[in-house]
Amino acid sequence: MSHRPLLLAAALADRRPLPDRGALVDRARTAEAAGLELVTIEPGPFDPLLVAAHLAARTSRIGIAPVVSTTTTEPFHVSTALATIDVVAHGRGGWVAQVDDPADVDGTVTWDVTADAAGDAAEHLEAVRALWDSWEDGAEIRDVATARFIDRDRVHHVDLVGEHLSVRGPSITPRPPQGHPVVLARADGPAAERLVAAGVDVLVAAEGAPSAAPRRFVDVVVAADAHDGLAARLIALHADGADGVVLHAEDLAGALAAVLPELERAGVRPAADDRDGPPPGGPADPEDPAGPAAPPTLRERLGLAPAVNRFEARA
Amino acid sequence: MTAPRKQVRLAAHFPGVNNTTVWGDPASGSHIDFAGFAHLARTAERAMFDLFFLAEGLSLREHAGHLHDLDVVGRPDAMTVLSALAAVTERIGLAATLTTTYHEPLEVARQLATLDHLSDGRAAWNLVTSTDAVSGANFRRGAYLPYDGRYDRAGELLGLADRLWRDGPGPFRAEGRQVDLHGEWDLASPPQGRPVILQAGDSDAGREFAAQRADAVFTRHASVPEGQAFVRDVKGRLARYGRRPEDLLVLPGATFVLGDTDEDAREQAAHVRRQQVSGPTAIVFAEQLWNRDLSAYDPDGPLPDVDPVEGEITIAPGSIPARAFAGKRHETVEQLRALAARDDLSLRDVMVETRARHSFVGSPETVADEIDRHVQLDACDGFILVPHITPGGLDAFADRVVPLLQERGSLRTAWEGGTLRDRLGLPRWSPAESAVRAD
């Protein structure tokens, strides 16, 4: 198999009922310093979207993807929050879409949750991306001569009418830096097929599941005393066709120290120093007049094609 | 020993999507980039403000069947921005406006508690209600909530949030008409016990809601006597809920223009006001009042000679100003005609005169005097200041007015410890819970 280097993500989960903010920041920076492509913010007591925004302001080059349910959320709110994270992170934003079992979320939202959670998820995902497209790049014109702030011909209603949900749009938030922040979906079985068909960028699946998604990641759980043999396992997954791995490591720094040199020796993943982008070291001053260093976007780091705006493509 | 001087409470409102914001000024920067939010929040923090404040709009404004394109359009998600700001500020409170109509109860409770934890006790919520159909079309349930039901949903949602914040992890059940939920809550109580709750809404129902449930009221700016009357009314309602007058802060929104002298400030204000009301904006303002198409009229000519149209709002549905004129369109138009005739004003002049007033115009001394006078005379407890430039519109206020307020002893010179709630002198628990604990 001669495919790309193995992509690496670190899953950030934290203790209940009170996560340790400092530990979340430390682990995100550990992952960044080790050259990982992204961190996922796992569901927990803290809202993952807000943790992602907080970490975006405390890091400078790693991708940040909160896990957010499609079943219990409004696509409009998810779309604007993810666009905002992408703005704060200068194009490092992502989303791990998760589909809940309707029985598990009974009584937690004030609308009737459909039994067809996968169908709802596909429509949700489509709505989120349509809202990202609803502002064309350059829609803000600030034309003093005509007193117009936007060119309203470049801001669109999305008018999605689905079986489970409808959204008129446009978004309140302009198109984010990546156009489309990276959409990962963690799903298995029929739900995974629906989401891949709906156009996710990355499917995060159980080991071995084949997929038509552009990228396939595998979740790997790593206990603190199980670093021996971890590298071999990752190398095997890579050989088996996985594009990337999401490490759910109890001791992230220890796990990375154990596996990164072996992955490099095996030619599966180069060392962090060989990779593109500015050196890690925490965030630049957000008000720095020189502007932030321009790290590659998360789409670029995952080798994904630039996002196409459906409204511009139509024109 | 004399009583300590009453402290001026200040909040910085990020410039909004209305004509107050002068986006055409060369100093005007991005309304989206995080750098602008960081600059304004840090300026307010340096100036010892209590709060940084973000508004909300869940649809783009529309006028005459099109997206309204004359004002700033577009904004990031408020709670997301504030969570990022929590990483680059240390003391200032972080307030988001969230409507109880189109946000989910558990999501609101979790997000505010999360922000409170991420910021070490600096989260605040400006609670608003809404029922507009344009925003409803962006959400799963559409415009599901009748106007009369908006405070039912708000009250039930806040009631559930208060219980979750107070009790922390464990099973919960709410059995309201609007909020009928149950499950297992998994997050520890926030550092403030309860994030600071502001309430915006001047209706009688809004005032009663504030008296019963809120920590602060966000209201309109008014003269000292009008402000005193408002304060008497709203604080007069507190006793029946077992609350003290100091348990509810009254914070009007206010604008300002500073100059080296009062005369210089007046000249600058005149310039700013004309920028805030361009010719096309003057036509839009007139259409909100007349409730009919006036696009054929010249903004630099006389007021339209046609009559306004009462009844269904056709040209600016969802517009708050258009709704505010309902029932008094003829009367208002007659007042404007009298003003135009008296001072020989064009349509645009009239709109500048009536729709672009600034709360405080003057030298730093004059503005500091006026702000402090309102507070010391109990016309309010402070102000939510809305600069007209992003993101530097607060810089001069921080540099020139704040030191004068500090010299008078009306504004802190160093940060007290504790949470936002502690710094505002507010009790730790929700009003209902506080009443129980006081027994």
Side-chain angles (χ1 to χ4, degrees):
Chain A
M1 255 335 273
S2 67
H3 57 126
R4 287 172 289 270
L6 182 70
L7 300 166
L8 282 182
L12 303 188
D14 214 340
R15 65 179 193 217
R16 294 165 188 270
L18 181 54
D20 180 341
R21 180 185 75 217
L24 285 167
V25 173
D26 288 346
R27 273 180 284 147
R29 288 185 166 172
T30 295
E32 179 167 83
L36 269 58
E37 278 72 30
L38 78 153
V39 290
T40 62
I41 317 297
E42 298 297 316
F46 281 0
D47 184 290
L49 286 162
L50 303 194
V51 172
H54 195 73
L55 295 180
R58 304 288 297 266
T59 55
S60 57
R61 62 190 288 260
I62 194 162
I64 297 171
V67 180
V68 180
S69 166
T70 56
T71 317
T72 60
T73 61
E74 292 277 6
F76 194 87
H77 292 316
V78 171
S79 180
T80 57
L82 291 170
T84 303
I85 291 165
D86 205 42
V87 167
V88 175
H90 299 284
R92 297 182 284 126
W95 170 29
V96 183
Q98 170 183 292
V99 186
D100 289 316
D101 181 337
D104 292 344
V105 297
D106 177 50
T108 64
V109 292
T110 60
W111 64 83
D112 295 327
V113 173
T114 173
D116 179 16
D120 178 81
E123 290 180 8
H124 188 297
L125 202 152
E126 178 66 6
V128 166
R129 296 218 278 207
L131 288 165
W132 287 335
D133 285 343
S134 64
W135 288 59
E136 296 182 26
D137 290 328
E140 182 180 316
I141 53 172
R142 294 191 185 226
D143 184 26
V144 174
T146 61
R148 291 179 310 143
F149 185 80
I150 55 163
D151 176 355
R152 65 187 178 205
D153 292 338
R154 287 196 263 171
V155 181
H156 307 272
H157 294 295
V158 301
D159 288 327
L160 284 183
V161 179
E163 192 182 329
H164 305 292
L165 55 89
S166 302
V167 176
R168 178 169 179 254
S171 179
I172 52 165
T173 308
R175 189 170 168 81
Q178 292 183 95
H180 294 177
V182 175
V183 180
L184 307 91
R186 182 178 282 139
D188 292 303
E193 287 169 30
R194 291 293 294 272
L195 289 172
V196 169
V200 301
D201 298 304
V202 180
L203 182 69
V204 184
E207 294 186 29
S211 165
R215 298 284 177 275
R216 183 170 64 87
F217 276 50
V218 178
D219 278 317
V220 174
V221 178
V222 188
D225 57 358
H227 296 164
D228 290 346
L230 176 59
R233 193 169 156 208
L234 302 188
I235 291 164
L237 286 169
H238 184 246
D240 198 35
D243 298 295
V245 165
V246 182
L247 290 172
H248 299 250
E250 214 175 308
D251 169 14
L252 178 63
L256 293 175
V259 299
L260 290 176
E262 288 193 52
L263 295 181
E264 187 193 357
R265 271 195 296 278
V268 164
R269 180 183 169 90
D273 289 347
D274 300 339
R275 301 181 78 77
D276 292 335
D285 182 336
E287 294 181 66
D288 185 348
T297 66
L298 182 57
R299 296 195 77 81
E300 288 166 348
R301 290 193 71 183
L302 299 186
L304 296 166
V308 174
N309 188 327
R310 69 195 65 198
F311 294 106
E312 292 182 42
R314 185 191 292 170
Chain B
M1 217 176 106
T2 54
R5 190 172 177 85
K6 189 176 171 193
Q7 293 296 292
V8 173
R9 302 298 177 188
L10 292 175
H13 188 309
F14 193 82
V17 295
N18 56 46
N19 74 298
T20 301
T21 306
V22 181
W23 53 260
D25 190 290
S28 172
S30 169
H31 285 255
I32 301 297
D33 288 351
F34 183 58
F37 290 89
H39 179 82
L40 190 67
R42 288 164 151 189
T43 303
E45 183 166 79
R46 165 169 73 84
M48 301 287 169
F49 279 41
D50 291 290
L51 274 176
F52 176 78
F53 185 99
L54 293 177
E56 176 180 65
L58 295 176
S59 55
L60 299 186
R61 294 163 63 209
E62 298 184 14
H63 182 84
H66 296 286
L67 296 176
H68 181 63
D69 57 3
L70 302 176
D71 296 331
V72 168
V73 183
R75 51 178 132 206
D77 177 71
M79 288 299 290
T80 314
V81 169
L82 295 182
S83 298
L85 285 175
V88 298
T89 56
E90 291 176 356
R91 298 288 189 173
I92 193 164
L94 302 167
T97 303
L98 300 169
T99 175
T100 53
T101 304
Y102 298 120
H103 288 282
E104 275 300 301
L106 294 179
E107 192 170 78
V108 167
R110 185 176 303 281
Q111 292 205 336
L112 285 162
T114 299
L115 179 62
D116 208 44
H117 284 293
L118 290 175
S119 64
D120 291 323
R122 296 187 282 139
W125 173 21
N126 179 39
L127 184 158
V128 297
T129 62
S130 52
T131 53
D132 75 289
V134 178
S135 294
N138 288 330
F139 297 100
R140 287 175 180 267
R141 297 177 72 192
Y144 70 98
L145 190 61
Y147 187 75
D148 290 342
R150 68 199 198 288
Y151 278 107
D152 291 342
R153 165 111 173 175
E156 290 175 16
L157 191 157
L158 181 56
L160 174 58
D162 270 334
R163 290 212 306 281
L164 298 173
W165 293 332
R166 181 194 66 198
D167 295 344
F172 67 89
R173 176 170 288 276
E175 293 175 304
R177 286 167 54 216
Q178 292 290 338
V179 178
D180 182 1
L181 299 173
H182 59 89
E184 186 81 15
W185 186 249
D186 60 357
L187 176 54
S189 291
Q192 294 185 91
R194 179 201 209 208
V196 170
I197 311 286
L198 294 86
Q199 194 275 337
D202 282 345
S203 68
D204 189 66
R207 292 182 189 201
E208 200 63 27
F209 189 91
Q212 189 178 359
R213 316 286 292 267
D215 298 302
V217 180
F218 178 22
T219 184
R220 276 190 281 268
H221 177 64
S223 67
V224 166
E226 289 166 337
Q228 288 171 329
F230 181 85
V231 166
R232 274 196 302 275
D233 176 272
V234 74
K235 295 204 180 192
R237 300 172 189 237
L238 292 171
R240 79 184 75 150
Y241 302 111
R243 304 180 69 193
R244 305 168 303 167
E246 60 268 36
D247 292 347
L248 182 72
L249 302 172
V250 174
L251 303 173
T255 56
F256 61 92
V257 177
L258 291 177
D260 290 336
T261 63
D262 289 351
E263 180 54 33
D264 175 39
R266 277 194 291 274
E267 282 172 23
Q268 290 193 43
H271 175 65
V272 170
R273 292 171 75 189
R274 290 198 80 76
Q275 288 182 287
Q276 289 173 328
V277 186
S278 67
T281 294
I283 296 291
V284 166
F285 282 169
E287 289 177 336
Q288 290 170 348
L289 169 56
W290 263 263
N291 192 29
R292 63 190 293 171
D293 178 8
L294 300 174
S295 57
Y297 286 83
D298 176 5
D300 295 317
L303 287 173
D305 47 9
V306 293
D307 284 335
V309 179
E310 282 291 358
E312 188 193 349
I313 296 173
T314 52
I315 195 152
S319 154
I320 291 170
R323 206 183 315 145
F325 290 125
K328 44 189 178 188
R329 298 184 195 280
H330 286 87
E331 177 193 336
T332 310
V333 166
E334 284 316 310
Q335 287 166 3
L336 298 192
R337 287 199 170 120
L339 175 68
R342 191 191 74 191
D343 295 344
D344 190 23
L345 302 180
S346 69
L347 190 171
R348 184 179 176 197
D349 294 335
V350 167
M351 293 303 160
V352 168
E353 198 54 42
T354 57
R355 297 288 297 271
R357 296 183 164 279
H358 293 122
S359 317
F360 302 111
V361 176
S363 66
E365 291 76 14
T366 298
V367 170
D369 275 350
E370 273 297 291
I371 286 176
D372 199 33
R373 191 169 71 90
H374 277 78
V375 172
Q376 301 307 330
L377 293 176
D378 290 329
C380 61
D381 294 295
F383 292 95
I384 297 180
L385 295 176
V386 190
H388 58 267
I389 298 284
T390 306
L394 201 63
D395 296 1
F397 188 97
D399 292 337
R400 302 181 68 184
V401 180
V402 161
L404 299 176
L405 291 170
Q406 290 173 321
E407 277 173 26
R408 293 157 177 259
S410 298
L411 183 66
R412 66 170 66 86
T413 55
W415 289 101
E416 310 89 344
T419 64
L420 171 65
R421 180 170 285 281
D422 299 332
R423 287 193 281 273
L424 292 173
L426 295 166
R428 179 170 172 80
W429 300 98
S430 72
E433 179 71 2
S434 296
V436 171
R437 283 169 189 244
D439 289 343

Short mmCIF file of all heavy atoms in Angstrom, two decimals, chain B residues 74-103:
data_model
loop_
_atom_site.label_atom_id
_atom_site.label_comp_id
_atom_site.label_asym_id
_atom_site.label_seq_id
_atom_site.Cartn_x
_atom_site.Cartn_y
_atom_site.Cartn_z
N GLY B 74 -24.27 40.57 9.27
CA GLY B 74 -23.48 39.39 9.60
C GLY B 74 -22.79 39.53 10.94
O GLY B 74 -22.35 40.61 11.33
N ARG B 75 -22.76 38.43 11.67
CA ARG B 75 -22.05 38.41 12.95
C ARG B 75 -21.75 36.96 13.30
O ARG B 75 -22.43 36.05 12.85
CB ARG B 75 -22.88 39.04 14.04
CG ARG B 75 -24.29 38.52 14.16
CD ARG B 75 -25.00 39.20 15.31
NE ARG B 75 -26.32 39.69 14.97
CZ ARG B 75 -26.90 40.71 15.62
NH1 ARG B 75 -26.27 41.32 16.58
NH2 ARG B 75 -28.09 41.10 15.29
N PRO B 76 -20.72 36.76 14.12
CA PRO B 76 -20.43 35.39 14.56
C PRO B 76 -21.38 34.96 15.68
O PRO B 76 -22.17 35.78 16.17
CB PRO B 76 -18.99 35.48 15.06
CG PRO B 76 -18.75 36.92 15.38
CD PRO B 76 -19.72 37.73 14.57
N ASP B 77 -21.31 33.71 16.05
CA ASP B 77 -22.14 33.18 17.14
C ASP B 77 -21.61 33.70 18.47
O ASP B 77 -20.42 33.56 18.79
CB ASP B 77 -22.09 31.66 17.11
CG ASP B 77 -22.88 31.06 18.27
OD1 ASP B 77 -24.11 31.16 18.23
OD2 ASP B 77 -22.25 30.53 19.19
N ALA B 78 -22.50 34.27 19.27
CA ALA B 78 -22.07 35.01 20.47
C ALA B 78 -21.38 34.11 21.50
O ALA B 78 -20.30 34.43 22.00
CB ALA B 78 -23.26 35.71 21.10
N MET B 79 -22.01 32.99 21.87
CA MET B 79 -21.41 32.15 22.92
C MET B 79 -20.05 31.61 22.49
O MET B 79 -19.15 31.42 23.32
CB MET B 79 -22.35 31.00 23.28
CG MET B 79 -23.60 31.40 24.06
SD MET B 79 -23.25 32.17 25.65
CE MET B 79 -22.63 30.77 26.58
N THR B 80 -19.90 31.35 21.20
CA THR B 80 -18.63 30.84 20.68
C THR B 80 -17.55 31.91 20.80
O THR B 80 -16.43 31.62 21.26
CB THR B 80 -18.81 30.39 19.22
OG1 THR B 80 -20.00 29.61 19.12
CG2 THR B 80 -17.63 29.58 18.75
N VAL B 81 -17.88 33.14 20.42
CA VAL B 81 -16.91 34.23 20.54
C VAL B 81 -16.52 34.43 22.00
O VAL B 81 -15.34 34.60 22.32
CB VAL B 81 -17.50 35.54 19.97
CG1 VAL B 81 -16.60 36.72 20.32
CG2 VAL B 81 -17.66 35.44 18.47
N LEU B 82 -17.52 34.42 22.88
CA LEU B 82 -17.21 34.68 24.30
C LEU B 82 -16.32 33.59 24.89
O LEU B 82 -15.46 33.87 25.73
CB LEU B 82 -18.50 34.81 25.11
CG LEU B 82 -19.40 36.00 24.75
CD1 LEU B 82 -20.61 36.04 25.68
CD2 LEU B 82 -18.65 37.33 24.82
N SER B 83 -16.51 32.35 24.46
CA SER B 83 -15.66 31.27 24.97
C SER B 83 -14.21 31.45 24.53
O SER B 83 -13.28 31.11 25.26
CB SER B 83 -16.17 29.91 24.49
OG SER B 83 -17.47 29.69 24.98
N ALA B 84 -14.04 32.00 23.34
CA ALA B 84 -12.68 32.33 22.89
C ALA B 84 -12.14 33.53 23.65
O ALA B 84 -10.97 33.56 24.05
CB ALA B 84 -12.67 32.58 21.39
N LEU B 85 -12.99 34.53 23.89
CA LEU B 85 -12.54 35.71 24.64
C LEU B 85 -12.16 35.34 26.07
O LEU B 85 -11.30 36.00 26.67
CB LEU B 85 -13.64 36.78 24.66
CG LEU B 85 -13.83 37.57 23.37
CD1 LEU B 85 -15.03 38.50 23.51
CD2 LEU B 85 -12.57 38.36 23.02
N ALA B 86 -12.80 34.32 26.62
CA ALA B 86 -12.45 33.89 27.98
C ALA B 86 -10.97 33.50 28.06
O ALA B 86 -10.37 33.54 29.13
CB ALA B 86 -13.34 32.73 28.43
N ALA B 87 -10.40 33.12 26.91
CA ALA B 87 -8.99 32.72 26.88
C ALA B 87 -8.04 33.91 26.79
O ALA B 87 -6.85 33.76 27.05
CB ALA B 87 -8.74 31.78 25.69
N VAL B 88 -8.54 35.09 26.41
CA VAL B 88 -7.64 36.24 26.21
C VAL B 88 -8.02 37.42 27.10
O VAL B 88 -7.53 38.53 26.91
CB VAL B 88 -7.57 36.67 24.73
CG1 VAL B 88 -7.01 35.53 23.88
CG2 VAL B 88 -8.91 37.13 24.20
N THR B 89 -8.93 37.22 28.05
CA THR B 89 -9.26 38.24 29.06
C THR B 89 -9.25 37.54 30.42
O THR B 89 -9.25 36.31 30.49
CB THR B 89 -10.66 38.85 28.84
OG1 THR B 89 -11.63 37.79 28.82
CG2 THR B 89 -10.72 39.61 27.51
N GLU B 90 -9.25 38.35 31.50
CA GLU B 90 -9.15 37.74 32.84
C GLU B 90 -10.24 38.16 33.82
O GLU B 90 -10.56 37.43 34.74
CB GLU B 90 -7.79 38.06 33.45
CG GLU B 90 -6.66 37.36 32.71
CD GLU B 90 -5.29 37.74 33.25
OE1 GLU B 90 -5.21 38.61 34.15
OE2 GLU B 90 -4.31 37.16 32.76
N ARG B 91 -10.77 39.35 33.66
CA ARG B 91 -11.66 39.88 34.69
C ARG B 91 -13.04 40.28 34.18
O ARG B 91 -14.00 40.29 34.94
CB ARG B 91 -11.02 41.14 35.32
CG ARG B 91 -9.70 40.87 36.01
CD ARG B 91 -9.93 40.12 37.29
NE ARG B 91 -8.69 40.04 38.07
CZ ARG B 91 -8.63 39.56 39.30
NH1 ARG B 91 -9.72 39.13 39.89
NH2 ARG B 91 -7.48 39.50 39.93
N ILE B 92 -13.12 40.71 32.95
CA ILE B 92 -14.36 41.32 32.49
C ILE B 92 -15.45 40.26 32.31
O ILE B 92 -15.18 39.13 31.90
CB ILE B 92 -14.13 42.11 31.18
CG1 ILE B 92 -15.34 43.01 30.88
CG2 ILE B 92 -13.82 41.18 30.00
CD1 ILE B 92 -15.06 44.09 29.88
N GLY B 93 -16.68 40.62 32.65
CA GLY B 93 -17.82 39.74 32.44
C GLY B 93 -18.11 39.59 30.95
O GLY B 93 -17.82 40.49 30.16
N LEU B 94 -18.66 38.43 30.58
CA LEU B 94 -18.88 38.10 29.16
C LEU B 94 -20.35 37.78 28.98
O LEU B 94 -20.83 36.73 29.39
CB LEU B 94 -18.00 36.90 28.78
CG LEU B 94 -16.49 37.11 29.00
CD1 LEU B 94 -15.74 35.78 28.90
CD2 LEU B 94 -15.93 38.14 28.02
N ALA B 95 -21.07 38.72 28.35
CA ALA B 95 -22.53 38.60 28.26
C ALA B 95 -22.97 38.31 26.84
O ALA B 95 -22.59 39.01 25.90
CB ALA B 95 -23.18 39.90 28.73
N ALA B 96 -23.79 37.28 26.68
CA ALA B 96 -24.38 36.95 25.38
C ALA B 96 -25.89 37.12 25.46
O ALA B 96 -26.51 36.77 26.46
CB ALA B 96 -24.07 35.50 25.00
N THR B 97 -26.44 37.65 24.38
CA THR B 97 -27.89 37.70 24.25
C THR B 97 -28.36 36.40 23.61
O THR B 97 -27.82 35.98 22.58
CB THR B 97 -28.29 38.89 23.36
OG1 THR B 97 -27.76 40.08 23.92
CG2 THR B 97 -29.81 39.00 23.25
N LEU B 98 -29.30 35.74 24.25
CA LEU B 98 -29.86 34.50 23.71
C LEU B 98 -31.37 34.55 23.88
O LEU B 98 -31.86 34.78 24.99
CB LEU B 98 -29.32 33.28 24.48
CG LEU B 98 -27.82 33.04 24.50
CD1 LEU B 98 -27.48 31.96 25.53
CD2 LEU B 98 -27.33 32.59 23.12
N THR B 99 -32.10 34.32 22.80
CA THR B 99 -33.54 34.28 22.93
C THR B 99 -33.97 32.92 23.47
O THR B 99 -33.46 31.87 23.06
CB THR B 99 -34.25 34.56 21.60
OG1 THR B 99 -35.66 34.37 21.80
CG2 THR B 99 -33.80 33.61 20.49
N THR B 100 -34.93 32.96 24.40
CA THR B 100 -35.43 31.69 24.94
C THR B 100 -36.34 30.98 23.95
O THR B 100 -36.67 29.82 24.14
CB THR B 100 -36.20 31.93 26.24
OG1 THR B 100 -37.21 32.93 26.01
CG2 THR B 100 -35.28 32.40 27.33
N THR B 101 -36.73 31.68 22.87
CA THR B 101 -37.67 31.09 21.92
C THR B 101 -36.99 30.08 20.99
O THR B 101 -37.53 29.01 20.72
CB THR B 101 -38.33 32.20 21.09
OG1 THR B 101 -38.94 33.14 21.97
CG2 THR B 101 -39.38 31.63 20.14
N TYR B 102 -35.81 30.43 20.49
CA TYR B 102 -35.16 29.58 19.48
C TYR B 102 -33.88 28.91 19.97
O TYR B 102 -33.11 28.39 19.17
CB TYR B 102 -34.91 30.40 18.21
CG TYR B 102 -36.19 30.90 17.59
CD1 TYR B 102 -36.44 32.26 17.42
CD2 TYR B 102 -37.18 30.01 17.19
CE1 TYR B 102 -37.63 32.72 16.86
CE2 TYR B 102 -38.38 30.45 16.64
CZ TYR B 102 -38.59 31.80 16.48
OH TYR B 102 -39.77 32.24 15.94
N HIS B 103 -33.65 28.95 21.28
CA HIS B 103 -32.57 28.13 21.84
C HIS B 103 -33.19 27.06 22.73
O HIS B 103 -34.20 27.30 23.39
CB HIS B 103 -31.59 28.97 22.67
CG HIS B 103 -30.72 29.87 21.84
ND1 HIS B 103 -29.62 29.40 21.17
CD2 HIS B 103 -30.80 31.18 21.54
CE1 HIS B 103 -29.04 30.40 20.51
NE2 HIS B 103 -29.74 31.50 20.72
#
